[in-house]
Amino acid sequence: MMRPGCFGPLVSALLLVSLESAAQAPAPGPADETPRVTTSDTALLRGTSEDPLGAVLAPVTLPDGATALYGFVGAPEIGVGFRQGISGFELEARARLQWFQLSASLELAVRRKVLEQGILSLAPTLGLGVVLNSGATYMDDRNYSGVLFRVSPGLVAGWRVADTVSVLGLLDVPVDIGLSNGQSRRIQALGGGGVEVYLGSNLSALAAGQLGVESFQERSGESHTRLGYSVRLGLGARLF
């Protein structure tokens, strides 16, 4: 039989092994409570500056602090623009080339969201700028040269039909008033729509078209009215 005095060294050895194992085991670290957000989580980010969808025309106004840069090609215009969401408004700077007439325009615009109901949002816009027209007639035989002041009221409606897709309704009524020739005028009324799709990596693509009328005159008593239209393919990036 084993004597009782033999248990003391055995128990001491077992306790020593247990303490060494506990010391070598890694201490449990604090749980990471910050969730990782991916592009599939855009439904949770809607209306915030982290929402990646939209750079060219969508959303109808950028969230506060969001910034976007875009460019587009089309007929009869190509152009670039910069958008900035600030204090519930959106400020936009845009430059366009009307390559049918070889005229260039520079504008500053402000946009304000006035309606947001479910997936529908609505924002009127107002732009002010200047148009420099070369008067080239190789594609527009009724074109005329001059410097004109531009006022551009408009309206943008947006329907967020999916996390990465926004359908747009567009109305633009640019009015050009002659500065170098006080009798020259040009007004367009264009309505239509388009779709903007998020591509990933903060890039969004736009396809849009508008149709309407254009009325213009170079001198008093010589006004003309004809079909007006605009087709655009754009690409934009959300910078912040």
Side-chain angles (χ1 to χ4, degrees):
M1 296 179 61
M2 187 177 293
R3 297 179 180 180
C6 296
F7 284 100
L10 179 61
V11 171
S12 298
L14 292 174
L15 287 174
L16 181 61
V17 172
S18 299
L19 290 173
E20 290 179 350
S21 299
Q24 294 175 358
D32 186 3
E33 298 179 355
T34 304
R36 294 183 178 181
V37 178
T38 65
T39 54
S40 62
D41 300 320
T42 53
L44 302 176
L45 300 175
R46 292 185 183 181
T48 71
S49 58
E50 289 81 15
D51 185 357
L53 172 61
V56 187
L57 285 173
V60 296
T61 56
L62 288 178
D64 290 354
T67 302
L69 183 67
Y70 69 85
F72 68 87
V73 296
E77 291 183 320
I78 60 175
V80 295
F82 174 82
R83 303 171 64 190
Q84 175 69 58
I86 181 171
S87 300
F89 289 84
E90 180 185 307
L91 300 178
E92 181 181 6
R94 55 200 184 202
R96 299 180 180 182
L97 173 66
Q98 216 279 25
W99 56 278
F100 283 15
Q101 301 174 346
L102 289 184
S103 67
S105 63
L106 298 173
E107 292 181 75
L108 292 175
V110 61
R111 191 179 297 162
R112 171 72 172 176
K113 186 188 297 182
V114 296
L115 174 67
E116 185 169 18
Q117 188 171 13
I119 63 172
L120 172 65
S121 53
L122 190 67
T125 182
L126 178 64
L128 299 175
V130 62
V131 179
L132 307 174
N133 195 338
S134 69
T137 57
Y138 76 103
M139 291 189 69
D140 184 352
D141 58 2
R142 294 190 181 276
N143 191 30
Y144 53 87
S145 63
V147 179
L148 302 100
F149 174 70
R150 172 168 289 181
V151 181
S152 300
L155 191 67
V156 180
W159 292 267
R160 188 72 173 265
V161 297
D163 291 343
T164 57
V165 180
S166 183
V167 175
L168 301 165
L170 306 172
L171 176 64
D172 292 297
V173 190
V175 179
D176 298 338
I177 302 170
L179 295 177
S180 58
N181 177 2
Q183 296 179 338
S184 61
R185 300 283 188 275
R186 186 184 300 272
I187 180 171
Q188 289 182 310
L190 303 176
V195 60
E196 190 156 344
V197 180
Y198 178 62
L199 303 178
S201 301
N202 291 327
L203 294 176
S204 295
L206 168 78
Q210 293 172 275
L211 195 65
V213 295
E214 177 184 25
S215 179
F216 59 95
Q217 67 177 39
E218 182 179 3
R219 56 184 58 87
S220 180
E222 293 186 2
S223 63
H224 306 275
T225 301
R226 63 186 179 187
L227 179 69
Y229 66 93
S230 173
V231 178
R232 282 177 280 177
L233 295 176
L235 181 67
R238 290 285 285 272
L239 305 179
F240 301 102

